[in-house]
Amino acid sequence: MGVQSVPLDTSAEVFEVLVECWRRMTIVERVEMVSQMNSDVELLALSGIAAQRPGLSPVEIRHELARRRFGDEIADQAYQNLLA
């Protein structure tokens, strides 16, 4: 079975090698990789929010990330006791 979708910034041959590496990974290795990717994306998002809105406190930055992820209502409820 061939790769169905190749990223635009990667050749098909290189992507096939990458997919084969993923296939050889154990479930634990895959979960660890996804967890690290999630952490990396969260740090990028937090950094982006801080750069766009430099006056926000660390709690306000996290609230903004929650707002973007889950919407205003859930984020506001989750952070209602943390925001002054």
Side-chain angles (χ1 to χ4, degrees):
M1 179 172 126
V3 175
Q4 300 296 320
S5 178
V6 177
L8 296 176
D9 64 347
T10 306
S11 72
E13 296 81 18
V14 170
F15 191 63
E16 282 288 345
V17 170
L18 181 59
V19 169
E20 189 53 41
C21 289
W22 290 335
R23 287 181 181 141
R24 285 194 301 263
M25 295 172 81
T26 66
I27 294 297
V28 171
E29 290 169 330
R30 290 179 192 182
V31 168
E32 289 172 349
M33 182 177 69
V34 169
S35 178
Q36 185 60 56
M37 288 174 154
N38 184 60
S39 295
D40 293 344
V41 168
E42 183 173 302
L43 285 174
L44 287 170
L46 292 169
S47 296
I49 293 167
Q52 291 171 349
R53 300 179 62 191
L56 295 181
S57 71
V59 172
E60 291 169 323
I61 291 170
R62 289 239 171 233
H63 174 249
E64 176 60 19
L65 181 58
R67 191 189 66 72
R68 293 179 185 190
R69 282 181 167 166
F70 309 114
D72 292 339
E73 185 177 346
I74 292 173
D76 290 347
Q77 286 179 10
Y79 280 83
Q80 67 184 349
N81 294 328
L82 298 173
L83 297 170

